[in-house]
Amino acid sequence: MTYASEFARWATRLRAPLLVVLALAFAGCDKTDEITGSSEATETPAGDATTVDASFNSGRFRGGIPMGHFSMPTSQFGAEYNGAMRNIWPQELVKELSAIRARGGRVVLMMAGHERHYKSGGRFDMNKWKQRINRYRGVNFQSFINDGTIIAHYLIDEPNDPENWRQPIPGSVLDEMAAYSKRLWPNMPTVVRAEASYLAKWPTRYRHLDAAWAQYVTRKGTPREFIRRNIADAQRKGLALVTGLNISKGGRNRSRLSAEQIRTAGRELLSSSYPCAFISWTYNSQYLSTRSVREAMRTIRHLAQNRAAKSCRS
């Protein structure tokens, strides 16, 4: 979410020097509604959400499949990146989605936020999860679903990980979550960040869940084997597939991927036309701005843009 509205209220009664101090302190507070505490994404400030580059003012998606990063600020949507996974608070949703759409971007939208909000005794709590989703019921964002600005509703992170949930969340529960989302927003695709192989292990027939998520790390074998396995399992269960890289901790001993690893793995993951989006974990401006990494990302962006656009609905 953006903090511009919060700062504006402080500014009406505090002088500029004090405002700077408060802004720095505020950035460290728990106002970001992060996704998970154990391994993956947290939401970052969206930047200047109301400013649109003059060079990218058509308000139109440029084609292909969305490509970008978890927690990517709104200001970074443009020629290089046009996709992201974002956790946006209800009160900021329409404003942020409008700015993203104006920049030609699309997002996988997380609504539930940090897992601590929907656990009981360390385990997943469906009722608490529904309460988190219900915060969005009064927000009119249907137009962003209709025009594809929202790629999919990100239901939950790593349901397969016992470190997150004490015990893995079965496929039947994941489809129940997707069914609840579809009751509220019938034409919004649903996705969980779990590999298709995990979803395929359950006997569940996925009637409401639309997509799996294949995020590559080097310990999972070669990129070619990884994507082939996930596509086969997704097809077997009738699911679409989001893919991407763990660029931050996907290398050996949880190190960052090198530029060459990004380029090579990205090419393999996009060698098939099956994936509907390419979203990597996670946005880091300093790392992504290095010349070699930026060039590798441009290679992937070119491949993603030349794929036929497709929905993430199953």
Side-chain angles (χ1 to χ4, degrees):
M1 67 175 286
T2 61
Y3 300 130
S5 60
E6 293 287 340
F7 286 173
R9 288 194 289 270
W10 284 104
T12 59
R13 55 185 186 272
L14 297 175
R15 288 187 296 179
L18 181 56
L19 176 60
V20 173
V21 174
L22 288 170
L24 292 173
F26 188 79
C29 295
D30 185 20
K31 295 286 285 181
T32 56
D33 207 16
E34 63 269 45
I35 301 301
T36 72
S38 59
S39 61
E40 297 297 350
T42 58
E43 177 64 312
T44 56
D48 185 1
T50 60
T51 302
V52 180
D53 277 340
S55 62
F56 200 73
N57 61 5
S58 67
R60 295 180 179 179
F61 184 69
R62 290 191 171 185
I65 64 172
M67 182 268 184
H69 306 278
F70 276 62
S71 304
M72 190 176 77
T74 300
S75 59
Q76 296 304 304
F77 285 90
E80 290 191 20
Y81 304 122
N82 62 352
M85 200 293 290
R86 290 283 299 274
N87 174 25
I88 307 172
W89 283 14
Q91 60 268 35
E92 300 285 341
L93 186 61
V94 172
K95 176 183 176 182
E96 286 299 311
L97 291 177
S98 296
I100 290 167
R101 178 166 60 186
R103 287 181 168 270
R106 294 185 174 181
V107 293
V108 177
L109 179 64
M110 174 60 147
M111 297 185 188
H114 196 286
E115 64 195 42
R116 66 173 176 265
H117 297 298
Y118 41 99
K119 281 183 177 181
S120 293
R123 292 179 171 84
F124 175 72
D125 187 314
M126 177 68 81
N127 289 328
K128 288 184 177 180
W129 181 85
K130 288 180 178 179
Q131 290 171 11
R132 296 289 291 178
I133 303 306
N134 287 343
R135 299 176 302 153
Y136 293 81
R137 297 184 69 166
V139 182
N140 183 5
F141 61 96
Q142 186 63 45
S143 67
F144 301 99
I145 300 173
N146 295 342
D147 68 10
T149 299
I150 297 176
I151 301 167
H153 178 189
Y154 188 107
L155 303 176
I156 197 166
D157 189 73
E158 297 184 311
N160 55 300
D161 190 349
E163 291 187 9
N164 291 348
W165 310 104
R166 290 198 177 179
Q167 60 186 30
I169 301 173
S172 58
V173 174
L174 299 175
D175 202 53
E176 183 182 349
M177 296 166 71
Y180 189 75
S181 176
K182 292 290 180 72
R183 284 199 293 272
L184 301 178
W185 305 284
N187 61 331
M188 182 164 59
T190 55
V191 63
V192 297
R193 197 167 75 83
E195 288 184 32
S197 57
Y198 174 76
L199 298 174
K201 68 180 281 187
W202 303 99
T204 307
R205 180 181 176 188
Y206 296 106
R207 298 177 182 273
H208 308 285
L209 180 64
D210 288 295
W213 196 300
Q215 180 173 282
Y216 178 70
V217 296
T218 57
R219 62 180 172 81
K220 294 183 178 180
T222 68
R224 178 173 299 184
E225 293 168 345
F226 175 79
I227 194 63
R228 284 180 177 176
R229 179 175 67 251
N230 272 277
I231 289 173
D233 288 333
Q235 289 175 326
R236 182 157 58 91
K237 299 299 285 188
L239 296 168
L241 186 67
V242 177
T243 191
L245 303 167
N246 185 332
I247 60 174
S248 298
K249 296 182 179 181
R252 186 176 180 180
N253 297 322
R254 297 175 65 84
S255 62
R256 286 176 175 169
L257 295 181
S258 68
E260 186 55 33
Q261 286 175 317
I262 291 172
R263 182 182 292 105
T264 300
R267 282 173 174 164
E268 292 291 351
L269 297 182
L270 290 171
S271 62
S272 168
S273 61
Y274 197 81
C276 60
F278 190 100
I279 311 295
S280 298
W281 190 80
T282 185
Y283 182 80
N284 181 305
S285 59
Q286 183 176 2
Y287 177 60
L288 292 171
S289 65
T290 60
R291 181 176 179 179
S292 60
V293 171
R294 192 168 186 177
E295 289 176 352
M297 287 295 174
R298 285 174 175 169
T299 297
I300 300 174
R301 175 73 173 96
H302 177 75
L303 293 173
Q305 190 167 0
N306 282 285
R307 293 293 176 271
K310 61 190 302 184
S311 169
C312 284
R313 294 199 70 156
S314 61

PDB file of all heavy atoms in Angstrom, residues 263-296:
ATOM      1  N   ARG A 263      18.960 -15.713 -16.656  1.00  0.00           N
ATOM      2  CA  ARG A 263      18.730 -15.777 -18.104  1.00  0.00           C
ATOM      3  C   ARG A 263      18.452 -17.216 -18.556  1.00  0.00           C
ATOM      4  O   ARG A 263      17.485 -17.474 -19.282  1.00  0.00           O
ATOM      5  CB  ARG A 263      19.930 -15.208 -18.853  1.00  0.00           C
ATOM      6  CG  ARG A 263      19.768 -15.197 -20.373  1.00  0.00           C
ATOM      7  CD  ARG A 263      21.002 -14.658 -21.066  1.00  0.00           C
ATOM      8  NE  ARG A 263      21.188 -13.238 -20.799  1.00  0.00           N
ATOM      9  CZ  ARG A 263      22.103 -12.742 -19.972  1.00  0.00           C
ATOM     10  NH1 ARG A 263      22.921 -13.557 -19.306  1.00  0.00           N
ATOM     11  NH2 ARG A 263      22.202 -11.438 -19.790  1.00  0.00           N
ATOM     12  N   THR A 264      19.293 -18.147 -18.117  1.00  0.00           N
ATOM     13  CA  THR A 264      19.159 -19.534 -18.556  1.00  0.00           C
ATOM     14  C   THR A 264      17.862 -20.162 -18.057  1.00  0.00           C
ATOM     15  O   THR A 264      17.112 -20.783 -18.819  1.00  0.00           O
ATOM     16  CB  THR A 264      20.355 -20.363 -18.069  1.00  0.00           C
ATOM     17  OG1 THR A 264      21.566 -19.803 -18.605  1.00  0.00           O
ATOM     18  CG2 THR A 264      20.235 -21.802 -18.507  1.00  0.00           C
ATOM     19  N   ALA A 265      17.586 -20.009 -16.764  1.00  0.00           N
ATOM     20  CA  ALA A 265      16.375 -20.598 -16.194  1.00  0.00           C
ATOM     21  C   ALA A 265      15.126 -19.927 -16.762  1.00  0.00           C
ATOM     22  O   ALA A 265      14.128 -20.598 -17.047  1.00  0.00           O
ATOM     23  CB  ALA A 265      16.399 -20.475 -14.675  1.00  0.00           C
ATOM     24  N   GLY A 266      15.176 -18.614 -16.931  1.00  0.00           N
ATOM     25  CA  GLY A 266      14.029 -17.912 -17.493  1.00  0.00           C
ATOM     26  C   GLY A 266      13.679 -18.399 -18.880  1.00  0.00           C
ATOM     27  O   GLY A 266      12.503 -18.574 -19.228  1.00  0.00           O
ATOM     28  N   ARG A 267      14.691 -18.615 -19.700  1.00  0.00           N
ATOM     29  CA  ARG A 267      14.448 -19.136 -21.051  1.00  0.00           C
ATOM     30  C   ARG A 267      13.772 -20.493 -21.009  1.00  0.00           C
ATOM     31  O   ARG A 267      12.847 -20.768 -21.781  1.00  0.00           O
ATOM     32  CB  ARG A 267      15.780 -19.231 -21.797  1.00  0.00           C
ATOM     33  CG  ARG A 267      16.307 -17.906 -22.324  1.00  0.00           C
ATOM     34  CD  ARG A 267      17.703 -18.097 -22.896  1.00  0.00           C
ATOM     35  NE  ARG A 267      18.185 -16.879 -23.532  1.00  0.00           N
ATOM     36  CZ  ARG A 267      19.470 -16.654 -23.836  1.00  0.00           C
ATOM     37  NH1 ARG A 267      20.381 -17.596 -23.543  1.00  0.00           N
ATOM     38  NH2 ARG A 267      19.830 -15.528 -24.414  1.00  0.00           N
ATOM     39  N   GLU A 268      14.236 -21.364 -20.109  1.00  0.00           N
ATOM     40  CA  GLU A 268      13.656 -22.700 -20.022  1.00  0.00           C
ATOM     41  C   GLU A 268      12.210 -22.646 -19.520  1.00  0.00           C
ATOM     42  O   GLU A 268      11.338 -23.344 -20.043  1.00  0.00           O
ATOM     43  CB  GLU A 268      14.489 -23.583 -19.097  1.00  0.00           C
ATOM     44  CG  GLU A 268      15.858 -23.930 -19.635  1.00  0.00           C
ATOM     45  CD  GLU A 268      15.807 -24.870 -20.827  1.00  0.00           C
ATOM     46  OE1 GLU A 268      14.717 -25.402 -21.142  1.00  0.00           O
ATOM     47  OE2 GLU A 268      16.869 -25.078 -21.448  1.00  0.00           O
ATOM     48  N   LEU A 269      11.958 -21.829 -18.503  1.00  0.00           N
ATOM     49  CA  LEU A 269      10.607 -21.742 -17.957  1.00  0.00           C
ATOM     50  C   LEU A 269       9.623 -21.189 -18.975  1.00  0.00           C
ATOM     51  O   LEU A 269       8.424 -21.500 -18.939  1.00  0.00           O
ATOM     52  CB  LEU A 269      10.597 -20.878 -16.697  1.00  0.00           C
ATOM     53  CG  LEU A 269      11.417 -21.382 -15.506  1.00  0.00           C
ATOM     54  CD1 LEU A 269      11.271 -20.442 -14.318  1.00  0.00           C
ATOM     55  CD2 LEU A 269      11.042 -22.796 -15.112  1.00  0.00           C
ATOM     56  N   LEU A 270      10.125 -20.358 -19.889  1.00  0.00           N
ATOM     57  CA  LEU A 270       9.265 -19.765 -20.909  1.00  0.00           C
ATOM     58  C   LEU A 270       9.400 -20.457 -22.261  1.00  0.00           C
ATOM     59  O   LEU A 270       8.951 -19.935 -23.279  1.00  0.00           O
ATOM     60  CB  LEU A 270       9.565 -18.271 -21.047  1.00  0.00           C
ATOM     61  CG  LEU A 270       9.117 -17.418 -19.854  1.00  0.00           C
ATOM     62  CD1 LEU A 270       9.640 -15.997 -19.973  1.00  0.00           C
ATOM     63  CD2 LEU A 270       7.590 -17.422 -19.736  1.00  0.00           C
ATOM     64  N   SER A 271      10.033 -21.629 -22.268  1.00  0.00           N
ATOM     65  CA  SER A 271      10.146 -22.373 -23.518  1.00  0.00           C
ATOM     66  C   SER A 271       8.800 -22.953 -23.945  1.00  0.00           C
ATOM     67  O   SER A 271       8.601 -23.324 -25.097  1.00  0.00           O
ATOM     68  CB  SER A 271      11.173 -23.512 -23.368  1.00  0.00           C
ATOM     69  OG  SER A 271      10.752 -24.432 -22.371  1.00  0.00           O
ATOM     70  N   SER A 272       7.882 -23.053 -23.006  1.00  0.00           N
ATOM     71  CA  SER A 272       6.530 -23.530 -23.278  1.00  0.00           C
ATOM     72  C   SER A 272       5.562 -22.355 -23.273  1.00  0.00           C
ATOM     73  O   SER A 272       5.769 -21.353 -22.566  1.00  0.00           O
ATOM     74  CB  SER A 272       6.104 -24.543 -22.208  1.00  0.00           C
ATOM     75  OG  SER A 272       4.715 -24.808 -22.288  1.00  0.00           O
ATOM     76  N   SER A 273       4.504 -22.485 -24.010  1.00  0.00           N
ATOM     77  CA  SER A 273       3.466 -21.453 -24.026  1.00  0.00           C
ATOM     78  C   SER A 273       2.434 -21.675 -22.916  1.00  0.00           C
ATOM     79  O   SER A 273       1.469 -20.923 -22.817  1.00  0.00           O
ATOM     80  CB  SER A 273       2.755 -21.448 -25.386  1.00  0.00           C
ATOM     81  OG  SER A 273       2.128 -22.709 -25.616  1.00  0.00           O
ATOM     82  N   TYR A 274       2.644 -22.683 -22.065  1.00  0.00           N
ATOM     83  CA  TYR A 274       1.638 -23.026 -21.059  1.00  0.00           C
ATOM     84  C   TYR A 274       1.516 -22.000 -19.927  1.00  0.00           C
ATOM     85  O   TYR A 274       0.394 -21.668 -19.535  1.00  0.00           O
ATOM     86  CB  TYR A 274       1.928 -24.410 -20.479  1.00  0.00           C
ATOM     87  CG  TYR A 274       0.746 -25.005 -19.752  1.00  0.00           C
ATOM     88  CD1 TYR A 274      -0.282 -25.629 -20.451  1.00  0.00           C
ATOM     89  CD2 TYR A 274       0.639 -24.932 -18.366  1.00  0.00           C
ATOM     90  CE1 TYR A 274      -1.373 -26.167 -19.795  1.00  0.00           C
ATOM     91  CE2 TYR A 274      -0.450 -25.462 -17.704  1.00  0.00           C
ATOM     92  CZ  TYR A 274      -1.458 -26.083 -18.421  1.00  0.00           C
ATOM     93  OH  TYR A 274      -2.545 -26.596 -17.768  1.00  0.00           O
ATOM     94  N   PRO A 275       2.610 -21.466 -19.357  1.00  0.00           N
ATOM     95  CA  PRO A 275       2.460 -20.516 -18.240  1.00  0.00           C
ATOM     96  C   PRO A 275       1.654 -19.278 -18.634  1.00  0.00           C
ATOM     97  O   PRO A 275       1.748 -18.781 -19.765  1.00  0.00           O
ATOM     98  CB  PRO A 275       3.905 -20.150 -17.897  1.00  0.00           C
ATOM     99  CG  PRO A 275       4.697 -21.331 -18.342  1.00  0.00           C
ATOM    100  CD  PRO A 275       4.023 -21.791 -19.606  1.00  0.00           C
ATOM    101  N   CYS A 276       0.889 -18.775 -17.669  1.00  0.00           N
ATOM    102  CA  CYS A 276       0.054 -17.593 -17.913  1.00  0.00           C
ATOM    103  C   CYS A 276       0.649 -16.327 -17.320  1.00  0.00           C
ATOM    104  O   CYS A 276       0.139 -15.221 -17.575  1.00  0.00           O
ATOM    105  CB  CYS A 276      -1.347 -17.824 -17.360  1.00  0.00           C
ATOM    106  SG  CYS A 276      -1.411 -18.150 -15.577  1.00  0.00           S
ATOM    107  N   ALA A 277       1.704 -16.445 -16.527  1.00  0.00           N
ATOM    108  CA  ALA A 277       2.378 -15.276 -15.953  1.00  0.00           C
ATOM    109  C   ALA A 277       3.750 -15.716 -15.456  1.00  0.00           C
ATOM    110  O   ALA A 277       3.961 -16.901 -15.168  1.00  0.00           O
ATOM    111  CB  ALA A 277       1.567 -14.662 -14.817  1.00  0.00           C
ATOM    112  N   PHE A 278       4.655 -14.750 -15.339  1.00  0.00           N
ATOM    113  CA  PHE A 278       6.019 -15.027 -14.877  1.00  0.00           C
ATOM    114  C   PHE A 278       6.350 -14.008 -13.788  1.00  0.00           C
ATOM    115  O   PHE A 278       6.708 -12.863 -14.069  1.00  0.00           O
ATOM    116  CB  PHE A 278       7.008 -14.903 -16.045  1.00  0.00           C
ATOM    117  CG  PHE A 278       8.394 -15.393 -15.741  1.00  0.00           C
ATOM    118  CD1 PHE A 278       8.810 -16.644 -16.157  1.00  0.00           C
ATOM    119  CD2 PHE A 278       9.299 -14.598 -15.041  1.00  0.00           C
ATOM    120  CE1 PHE A 278      10.100 -17.108 -15.884  1.00  0.00           C
ATOM    121  CE2 PHE A 278      10.578 -15.042 -14.762  1.00  0.00           C
ATOM    122  CZ  PHE A 278      10.987 -16.297 -15.189  1.00  0.00           C
ATOM    123  N   ILE A 279       6.182 -14.421 -12.539  1.00  0.00           N
ATOM    124  CA  ILE A 279       6.357 -13.516 -11.393  1.00  0.00           C
ATOM    125  C   ILE A 279       7.423 -14.098 -10.475  1.00  0.00           C
ATOM    126  O   ILE A 279       7.290 -15.239 -10.013  1.00  0.00           O
ATOM    127  CB  ILE A 279       5.048 -13.322 -10.608  1.00  0.00           C
ATOM    128  CG1 ILE A 279       3.884 -12.983 -11.543  1.00  0.00           C
ATOM    129  CG2 ILE A 279       5.228 -12.256  -9.539  1.00  0.00           C
ATOM    130  CD1 ILE A 279       4.011 -11.667 -12.256  1.00  0.00           C
ATOM    131  N   SER A 280       8.467 -13.337 -10.194  1.00  0.00           N
ATOM    132  CA  SER A 280       9.606 -13.832  -9.423  1.00  0.00           C
ATOM    133  C   SER A 280       9.655 -13.205  -8.033  1.00  0.00           C
ATOM    134  O   SER A 280       9.214 -12.078  -7.828  1.00  0.00           O
ATOM    135  CB  SER A 280      10.916 -13.547 -10.166  1.00  0.00           C
ATOM    136  OG  SER A 280      10.952 -14.222 -11.406  1.00  0.00           O
ATOM    137  N   TRP A 281      10.268 -13.947  -7.103  1.00  0.00           N
ATOM    138  CA  TRP A 281      10.436 -13.459  -5.733  1.00  0.00           C
ATOM    139  C   TRP A 281      11.887 -13.032  -5.532  1.00  0.00           C
ATOM    140  O   TRP A 281      12.785 -13.824  -5.779  1.00  0.00           O
ATOM    141  CB  TRP A 281      10.092 -14.580  -4.740  1.00  0.00           C
ATOM    142  CG  TRP A 281      10.000 -14.088  -3.334  1.00  0.00           C
ATOM    143  CD1 TRP A 281       8.954 -13.442  -2.761  1.00  0.00           C
ATOM    144  CD2 TRP A 281      11.018 -14.181  -2.324  1.00  0.00           C
ATOM    145  NE1 TRP A 281       9.241 -13.134  -1.460  1.00  0.00           N
ATOM    146  CE2 TRP A 281      10.516 -13.567  -1.167  1.00  0.00           C
ATOM    147  CE3 TRP A 281      12.316 -14.719  -2.292  1.00  0.00           C
ATOM    148  CZ2 TRP A 281      11.238 -13.478   0.009  1.00  0.00           C
ATOM    149  CZ3 TRP A 281      13.042 -14.628  -1.116  1.00  0.00           C
ATOM    150  CH2 TRP A 281      12.500 -14.009   0.015  1.00  0.00           C
ATOM    151  N   THR A 282      12.161 -11.841  -5.158  1.00  0.00           N
ATOM    152  CA  THR A 282      11.265 -10.767  -4.869  1.00  0.00           C
ATOM    153  C   THR A 282      11.909  -9.484  -5.357  1.00  0.00           C
ATOM    154  O   THR A 282      13.089  -9.472  -5.686  1.00  0.00           O
ATOM    155  CB  THR A 282      10.950 -10.698  -3.367  1.00  0.00           C
ATOM    156  OG1 THR A 282       9.966  -9.699  -3.100  1.00  0.00           O
ATOM    157  CG2 THR A 282      12.172 -10.424  -2.536  1.00  0.00           C
ATOM    158  N   TYR A 283      11.177  -8.383  -5.332  1.00  0.00           N
ATOM    159  CA  TYR A 283      11.721  -7.129  -5.832  1.00  0.00           C
ATOM    160  C   TYR A 283      12.804  -6.577  -4.912  1.00  0.00           C
ATOM    161  O   TYR A 283      12.619  -6.439  -3.712  1.00  0.00           O
ATOM    162  CB  TYR A 283      10.606  -6.087  -5.982  1.00  0.00           C
ATOM    163  CG  TYR A 283      11.099  -4.774  -6.538  1.00  0.00           C
ATOM    164  CD1 TYR A 283      11.304  -4.613  -7.904  1.00  0.00           C
ATOM    165  CD2 TYR A 283      11.389  -3.703  -5.696  1.00  0.00           C
ATOM    166  CE1 TYR A 283      11.786  -3.424  -8.428  1.00  0.00           C
ATOM    167  CE2 TYR A 283      11.862  -2.514  -6.214  1.00  0.00           C
ATOM    168  CZ  TYR A 283      12.060  -2.382  -7.566  1.00  0.00           C
ATOM    169  OH  TYR A 283      12.548  -1.198  -8.076  1.00  0.00           O
ATOM    170  N   ASN A 284      13.958  -6.263  -5.498  1.00  0.00           N
ATOM    171  CA  ASN A 284      15.066  -5.625  -4.788  1.00  0.00           C
ATOM    172  C   ASN A 284      15.700  -4.642  -5.751  1.00  0.00           C
ATOM    173  O   ASN A 284      16.365  -5.035  -6.709  1.00  0.00           O
ATOM    174  CB  ASN A 284      16.091  -6.669  -4.328  1.00  0.00           C
ATOM    175  CG  ASN A 284      17.252  -6.074  -3.555  1.00  0.00           C
ATOM    176  OD1 ASN A 284      17.946  -5.170  -4.027  1.00  0.00           O
ATOM    177  ND2 ASN A 284      17.490  -6.590  -2.364  1.00  0.00           N
ATOM    178  N   SER A 285      15.471  -3.366  -5.535  1.00  0.00           N
ATOM    179  CA  SER A 285      15.872  -2.353  -6.512  1.00  0.00           C
ATOM    180  C   SER A 285      17.374  -2.334  -6.756  1.00  0.00           C
ATOM    181  O   SER A 285      17.827  -2.178  -7.900  1.00  0.00           O
ATOM    182  CB  SER A 285      15.400  -0.962  -6.060  1.00  0.00           C
ATOM    183  OG  SER A 285      15.957  -0.636  -4.792  1.00  0.00           O
ATOM    184  N   GLN A 286      18.165  -2.501  -5.703  1.00  0.00           N
ATOM    185  CA  GLN A 286      19.618  -2.450  -5.860  1.00  0.00           C
ATOM    186  C   GLN A 286      20.113  -3.617  -6.709  1.00  0.00           C
ATOM    187  O   GLN A 286      20.913  -3.434  -7.636  1.00  0.00           O
ATOM    188  CB  GLN A 286      20.304  -2.465  -4.492  1.00  0.00           C
ATOM    189  CG  GLN A 286      21.819  -2.340  -4.570  1.00  0.00           C
ATOM    190  CD  GLN A 286      22.465  -2.271  -3.189  1.00  0.00           C
ATOM    191  OE1 GLN A 286      21.785  -2.354  -2.163  1.00  0.00           O
ATOM    192  NE2 GLN A 286      23.774  -2.102  -3.156  1.00  0.00           N
ATOM    193  N   TYR A 287      19.635  -4.811  -6.407  1.00  0.00           N
ATOM    194  CA  TYR A 287      20.056  -5.990  -7.150  1.00  0.00           C
ATOM    195  C   TYR A 287      19.587  -5.941  -8.602  1.00  0.00           C
ATOM    196  O   TYR A 287      20.352  -6.198  -9.535  1.00  0.00           O
ATOM    197  CB  TYR A 287      19.507  -7.233  -6.457  1.00  0.00           C
ATOM    198  CG  TYR A 287      19.812  -8.531  -7.162  1.00  0.00           C
ATOM    199  CD1 TYR A 287      21.118  -8.932  -7.390  1.00  0.00           C
ATOM    200  CD2 TYR A 287      18.784  -9.369  -7.591  1.00  0.00           C
ATOM    201  CE1 TYR A 287      21.407 -10.134  -8.027  1.00  0.00           C
ATOM    202  CE2 TYR A 287      19.059 -10.570  -8.216  1.00  0.00           C
ATOM    203  CZ  TYR A 287      20.368 -10.943  -8.444  1.00  0.00           C
ATOM    204  OH  TYR A 287      20.637 -12.124  -9.075  1.00  0.00           O
ATOM    205  N   LEU A 288      18.340  -5.575  -8.795  1.00  0.00           N
ATOM    206  CA  LEU A 288      17.774  -5.566 -10.137  1.00  0.00           C
ATOM    207  C   LEU A 288      18.331  -4.449 -11.014  1.00  0.00           C
ATOM    208  O   LEU A 288      18.212  -4.498 -12.237  1.00  0.00           O
ATOM    209  CB  LEU A 288      16.247  -5.447 -10.063  1.00  0.00           C
ATOM    210  CG  LEU A 288      15.521  -6.662  -9.490  1.00  0.00           C
ATOM    211  CD1 LEU A 288      14.059  -6.351  -9.249  1.00  0.00           C
ATOM    212  CD2 LEU A 288      15.663  -7.865 -10.411  1.00  0.00           C
ATOM    213  N   SER A 289      18.942  -3.455 -10.405  1.00  0.00           N
ATOM    214  CA  SER A 289      19.493  -2.345 -11.190  1.00  0.00           C
ATOM    215  C   SER A 289      20.917  -2.594 -11.664  1.00  0.00           C
ATOM    216  O   SER A 289      21.450  -1.820 -12.458  1.00  0.00           O
ATOM    217  CB  SER A 289      19.450  -1.055 -10.364  1.00  0.00           C
ATOM    218  OG  SER A 289      20.300  -1.154  -9.227  1.00  0.00           O
ATOM    219  N   THR A 290      21.554  -3.679 -11.187  1.00  0.00           N
ATOM    220  CA  THR A 290      22.891  -3.983 -11.686  1.00  0.00           C
ATOM    221  C   THR A 290      22.803  -4.331 -13.161  1.00  0.00           C
ATOM    222  O   THR A 290      21.832  -4.943 -13.618  1.00  0.00           O
ATOM    223  CB  THR A 290      23.532  -5.153 -10.907  1.00  0.00           C
ATOM    224  OG1 THR A 290      22.716  -6.314 -11.053  1.00  0.00           O
ATOM    225  CG2 THR A 290      23.665  -4.808  -9.428  1.00  0.00           C
ATOM    226  N   ARG A 291      23.822  -3.967 -13.905  1.00  0.00           N
ATOM    227  CA  ARG A 291      23.749  -4.058 -15.361  1.00  0.00           C
ATOM    228  C   ARG A 291      23.484  -5.476 -15.853  1.00  0.00           C
ATOM    229  O   ARG A 291      22.610  -5.705 -16.698  1.00  0.00           O
ATOM    230  CB  ARG A 291      25.045  -3.528 -15.967  1.00  0.00           C
ATOM    231  CG  ARG A 291      25.056  -3.546 -17.491  1.00  0.00           C
ATOM    232  CD  ARG A 291      26.322  -2.922 -18.031  1.00  0.00           C
ATOM    233  NE  ARG A 291      26.338  -2.975 -19.495  1.00  0.00           N
ATOM    234  CZ  ARG A 291      27.318  -2.480 -20.241  1.00  0.00           C
ATOM    235  NH1 ARG A 291      28.369  -1.897 -19.650  1.00  0.00           N
ATOM    236  NH2 ARG A 291      27.259  -2.570 -21.554  1.00  0.00           N
ATOM    237  N   SER A 292      24.217  -6.449 -15.328  1.00  0.00           N
ATOM    238  CA  SER A 292      24.083  -7.823 -15.815  1.00  0.00           C
ATOM    239  C   SER A 292      22.705  -8.401 -15.503  1.00  0.00           C
ATOM    240  O   SER A 292      22.092  -9.078 -16.340  1.00  0.00           O
ATOM    241  CB  SER A 292      25.174  -8.710 -15.212  1.00  0.00           C
ATOM    242  OG  SER A 292      25.088  -8.728 -13.799  1.00  0.00           O
ATOM    243  N   VAL A 293      22.203  -8.133 -14.296  1.00  0.00           N
ATOM    244  CA  VAL A 293      20.884  -8.643 -13.917  1.00  0.00           C
ATOM    245  C   VAL A 293      19.801  -7.961 -14.742  1.00  0.00           C
ATOM    246  O   VAL A 293      18.848  -8.603 -15.207  1.00  0.00           O
ATOM    247  CB  VAL A 293      20.638  -8.441 -12.413  1.00  0.00           C
ATOM    248  CG1 VAL A 293      19.195  -8.756 -12.039  1.00  0.00           C
ATOM    249  CG2 VAL A 293      21.588  -9.311 -11.602  1.00  0.00           C
ATOM    250  N   ARG A 294      19.950  -6.675 -14.943  1.00  0.00           N
ATOM    251  CA  ARG A 294      18.956  -5.946 -15.731  1.00  0.00           C
ATOM    252  C   ARG A 294      18.894  -6.479 -17.161  1.00  0.00           C
ATOM    253  O   ARG A 294      17.809  -6.637 -17.726  1.00  0.00           O
ATOM    254  CB  ARG A 294      19.290  -4.455 -15.729  1.00  0.00           C
ATOM    255  CG  ARG A 294      18.171  -3.581 -16.270  1.00  0.00           C
ATOM    256  CD  ARG A 294      18.429  -2.130 -15.983  1.00  0.00           C
ATOM    257  NE  ARG A 294      17.305  -1.299 -16.371  1.00  0.00           N
ATOM    258  CZ  ARG A 294      17.240   0.013 -16.167  1.00  0.00           C
ATOM    259  NH1 ARG A 294      18.254   0.634 -15.552  1.00  0.00           N
ATOM    260  NH2 ARG A 294      16.180   0.699 -16.557  1.00  0.00           N
ATOM    261  N   GLU A 295      20.042  -6.771 -17.736  1.00  0.00           N
ATOM    262  CA  GLU A 295      20.069  -7.316 -19.094  1.00  0.00           C
ATOM    263  C   GLU A 295      19.427  -8.707 -19.135  1.00  0.00           C
ATOM    264  O   GLU A 295      18.712  -9.040 -20.084  1.00  0.00           O
ATOM    265  CB  GLU A 295      21.501  -7.378 -19.605  1.00  0.00           C
ATOM    266  CG  GLU A 295      22.091  -6.004 -19.914  1.00  0.00           C
ATOM    267  CD  GLU A 295      23.554  -6.079 -20.327  1.00  0.00           C
ATOM    268  OE1 GLU A 295      24.139  -7.179 -20.224  1.00  0.00           O
ATOM    269  OE2 GLU A 295      24.104  -5.041 -20.752  1.00  0.00           O
ATOM    270  N   ALA A 296      19.670  -9.518 -18.097  1.00  0.00           N
ATOM    271  CA  ALA A 296      19.054 -10.840 -18.037  1.00  0.00           C
ATOM    272  C   ALA A 296      17.533 -10.719 -17.934  1.00  0.00           C
ATOM    273  O   ALA A 296      16.780 -11.469 -18.582  1.00  0.00           O
ATOM    274  CB  ALA A 296      19.605 -11.623 -16.848  1.00  0.00           C
TER     275      ALA A 296
END
